[in-house]
Amino acid sequence: MDIKGIKRDTITYSAVISACGKGVKWQYALDLFDEMEIKGITRNTITYNAAITACGRGNQCKKALEIFMEMSEKNIPKAHGSYIAIIQALGSDCTNNDVIDALYEDMLTSLPDFGQRWLRLNRHGMLDLHDHSQYMAQAATRRLLRILQKQEGYDSPEKSSELKCIIVGQGNDSADGLQLLKAVQAQLESLSPPIASYTQSENSGQLALNKRDLGDWLKHKA
């Protein structure tokens, strides 16, 4: 591009940073990201998302979080994709669950439209995880359990019946269509005691929790 006199701009830099991330060339992606600031080229939300994703694919969790936090410092708007990128970057390390949960709460506050799906839980007893990535879905599952812990009497079968299902659908970027289902079930099975779950016969995209297991878990946590 330089040889042909084509000027590099935000779009071209962002595209190359994204390509580097897909090729797991995170260091080169960060070099380009830093070069933009040195040259005074605007770095927008898409640029930051691409850099965070590149760090995540290179297992550079700490750097990914630094870049995400820099968005607030530089008044770069955070989008749904920003939260997906950082939560995915941190998700491979289960020791980051507290940070991920805090980021998920921040997302619900920062993106009110996204947070509206939790109203459906209150109105219809269903938690809709469409537009969630796998680690975001696990954060939502942990949030759901925290909510249930705070609801008095929820460890009784009668009360727990108010939670009808978790809508997992097919899941974002899922090759086999089961990404969210597997992620939520893995989270539930990792608990002590574990909570069994099963898909609804009338809709395989809806996951129901075993009421007895849920009650036992809540009693154990009380």
Side-chain angles (χ1 to χ4, degrees):
M1 292 179 69
D2 292 336
I3 295 175
K4 294 188 176 182
I6 300 175
K7 186 178 180 180
R8 302 183 187 187
D9 58 13
T10 301
I11 295 175
T12 55
Y13 266 99
S14 298
V16 176
I17 290 172
S18 178
C20 289
K22 292 177 181 178
V24 199
K25 297 183 181 296
W26 65 271
Q27 186 60 67
Y28 188 46
L30 291 186
D31 288 344
L32 291 171
F33 184 74
D34 292 338
E35 183 179 300
M36 291 180 72
E37 184 172 39
I38 294 171
K39 292 186 175 181
I41 298 173
T42 300
R43 300 185 297 187
N44 60 19
T45 300
I46 295 175
T47 313
Y48 273 83
N49 292 355
I52 293 168
T53 299
C55 289
R57 288 177 173 165
N59 295 318
Q60 303 299 310
C61 300
K62 183 178 180 180
K63 187 61 179 178
L65 188 57
E66 288 177 3
I67 294 174
F68 180 82
M69 299 304 292
E70 185 180 298
M71 294 180 75
S72 296
E73 297 170 6
K74 295 185 178 294
N75 295 316
I76 305 296
K78 296 173 184 174
H80 178 233
S82 308
Y83 287 96
I84 286 182
I86 186 57
I87 289 176
Q88 285 299 108
L90 299 175
S92 59
D93 185 350
C94 62
T95 61
N96 289 322
N97 281 352
D98 288 344
V99 177
I100 290 174
D101 290 349
L103 288 168
Y104 188 81
E105 292 295 333
D106 182 59
M107 179 180 65
L108 296 181
T109 302
S110 302
L111 306 176
D113 289 343
F114 190 85
Q116 290 295 312
R117 67 190 61 245
W118 283 90
L119 295 178
R120 192 173 185 182
L121 173 65
N122 296 330
R123 295 171 181 169
H124 307 292
M126 295 185 289
L127 175 59
D128 187 354
L129 298 185
H130 282 104
D131 298 326
H132 280 59
S133 63
Q134 63 187 102
Y135 296 120
M136 195 178 284
Q138 290 183 335
T141 302
R142 292 191 294 271
R143 185 177 196 267
L144 170 64
L145 293 173
R146 290 195 298 273
I147 290 174
L148 297 184
Q149 280 184 271
K150 295 177 181 178
Q151 294 184 7
E152 184 177 355
Y154 215 102
D155 54 352
S156 67
E158 295 78 12
K159 187 71 174 178
S160 62
S161 64
E162 293 180 8
L163 173 63
K164 293 182 173 61
C165 67
I166 299 175
I167 301 175
V168 292
Q170 290 189 332
N172 292 349
D173 303 321
S174 179
D176 59 6
L178 298 174
Q179 184 186 45
L180 295 190
L181 172 65
K182 291 178 179 178
V184 173
Q185 287 185 319
Q187 180 63 56
L188 294 170
E189 291 167 3
S190 71
L191 301 172
S192 180
I195 299 175
S197 58
Y198 55 92
T199 54
Q200 306 275 32
S201 57
E202 64 275 13
N203 188 336
S204 61
Q206 295 183 355
L207 185 68
L209 277 58
N210 181 285
K211 302 301 181 183
R212 184 177 297 278
D213 285 357
L214 176 58
D216 289 345
W217 183 84
L218 290 168
K219 288 178 181 178
H220 180 74
K221 291 296 180 180

